[in-house]
Amino acid sequence: MARSSVQTKIFVVSMRSAAQRRHAFISGGIPKSLNWDFFDAHEKLHDGLDYDEDKAIIAKGRPLKAGELGCYSSHHALWQKLIKDDADQYLILEDDVLADWSFIKPLIAADHGEAGHDYIRLYYKKPAPARILQKDFICRSTRLIEMSGYCFGTQAYLLTKNGARRFLEHTQEVSRPIDDQMDRSWIHGVPNLSVFPFPVLERAVPSAIGTSRFETYQIPERLKLRRFVSRQRERAGYQIFGRRRFRFQL
């Protein structure tokens, strides 16, 4: 799967003002030989993305917070950057992670586009149904798996040019957090792959997005029916996808 000409760049999404987080990331031991840089996180949506609060309430059950919109914009901008770049693939990290670089170095030396692995996450936050695609992936005892459904998190993932193109086709309209959109394989068609055990962990630090998004939100009466219909359609699409691709009852 590896070829000498594959080029991978590493970007670490971080607020420009997050000096302490940046120092902690650098102190985590990233090898000097790797091609990496910080990517200044966005604080709002960039031009070209469309956000409608009512559509977010219908899709997610609440409006999106400013931090979520900034996070969405940051990852979307990196995908656009990858399309125009001479690199074949990006490893995208957030600044609050601890990484096993001894695993990551051979991972990013492999041509995942050639293998058809366009999106490989190195960490996720919620258990989800999964199937094993390959044993001894990159190293012995590590497995390449495919998840079905939501498992959340943008802390660490590898993305090819093809994966970026396909994500961009389905993320112009902002109605969910970016990790929700990335998990929806039944919509955009990009398999939700990961490696297990995780080679990246999230440090126990306060989220830069904040926790207000977890507070109870009262859906306006005028949107309740549309929200109900949206949830039923979402559930049906997810279940059909799982039964066809994973061959088990979700």
Side-chain angles (χ1 to χ4, degrees):
M1 183 167 60
R3 62 180 172 89
S4 59
S5 59
V6 67
Q7 184 179 172
T8 307
K9 291 183 181 178
I10 303 172
F11 287 97
V12 182
V13 181
S14 177
M15 299 294 291
R16 185 190 295 269
S17 60
Q20 187 172 358
R21 280 175 172 252
R22 292 188 174 199
H23 176 73
F25 177 83
I26 295 171
S27 299
I30 183 168
K32 294 181 180 180
S33 60
L34 294 182
N35 181 7
W36 78 279
D37 201 357
F38 286 113
F39 179 84
D40 292 338
H42 293 195
E43 298 185 44
K44 59 182 180 180
L45 286 183
H46 63 69
D47 294 339
L49 287 175
D50 304 313
Y51 172 67
D52 182 279
E53 186 170 286
D54 280 4
K55 290 181 179 180
I57 295 171
I58 292 165
K60 183 64 177 175
R62 60 171 177 79
L64 301 188
K65 302 297 182 179
E68 291 176 303
L69 296 176
C71 180
Y72 196 112
S73 183
S74 299
H75 289 273
H76 194 274
L78 276 168
W79 304 342
Q80 292 179 318
K81 183 178 178 67
L82 173 55
I83 295 301
K84 300 173 184 177
D85 205 331
D86 57 358
D88 300 290
Q89 53 197 21
Y90 278 2
L91 175 65
I92 299 174
L93 307 171
E94 295 185 347
D95 63 2
D96 58 348
V97 300
L98 295 170
D100 178 1
W101 296 108
S102 64
F103 178 89
I104 290 175
K105 286 180 72 174
L107 174 77
I108 64 176
D111 185 352
H112 298 286
E114 185 177 59
H117 302 149
D118 290 319
Y119 169 49
I120 305 175
R121 60 201 311 165
L122 309 185
Y123 176 85
Y124 55 86
K125 299 176 73 72
K126 175 182 173 291
R131 61 174 182 151
I132 297 173
L133 298 182
Q134 182 178 332
K135 295 181 179 180
D136 299 333
F137 178 71
I138 303 299
C139 68
R140 183 172 176 80
S141 79
T142 299
R143 290 168 169 77
L144 179 69
I145 62 175
E146 179 182 3
M147 281 84 64
S148 172
Y150 292 106
C151 47
F152 304 121
T154 54
Q155 286 77 12
Y157 60 94
L158 185 140
L159 189 68
T160 69
K161 268 187 165 60
N162 185 55
R165 290 190 190 98
R166 295 168 73 185
F167 276 159
L168 288 168
E169 290 173 359
H170 293 272
T171 53
Q172 190 74 25
E173 184 177 285
V174 182
S175 58
R176 295 175 172 84
I178 191 66
D179 54 343
D180 288 38
Q181 291 284 41
M182 294 165 73
D183 280 343
R184 301 174 77 231
S185 299
W186 57 97
I187 300 298
H188 52 63
V190 181
N192 191 6
L193 307 184
S194 183
V195 293
F196 188 85
F198 300 142
V200 170
L201 294 176
E202 183 180 30
R203 292 189 294 114
V205 296
S207 170
I209 296 177
T211 59
S212 62
R213 65 191 187 277
F214 301 121
E215 296 173 358
T216 300
Y217 177 78
Q218 186 64 42
I219 298 175
E221 287 293 332
R222 63 185 176 84
L223 297 178
K224 283 186 175 180
L225 178 58
R226 294 172 66 185
R227 167 62 177 161
F228 174 79
V229 172
S230 174
R231 290 187 69 185
Q232 299 309 306
R233 287 177 175 172
E234 180 81 358
R235 186 173 298 166
Y238 161 58
Q239 290 179 338
I240 291 170
F241 169 81
R243 288 168 185 163
R244 287 177 177 174
R245 192 171 182 89
F246 288 74
R247 298 181 181 179
F248 53 63
Q249 181 71 37
L250 300 174

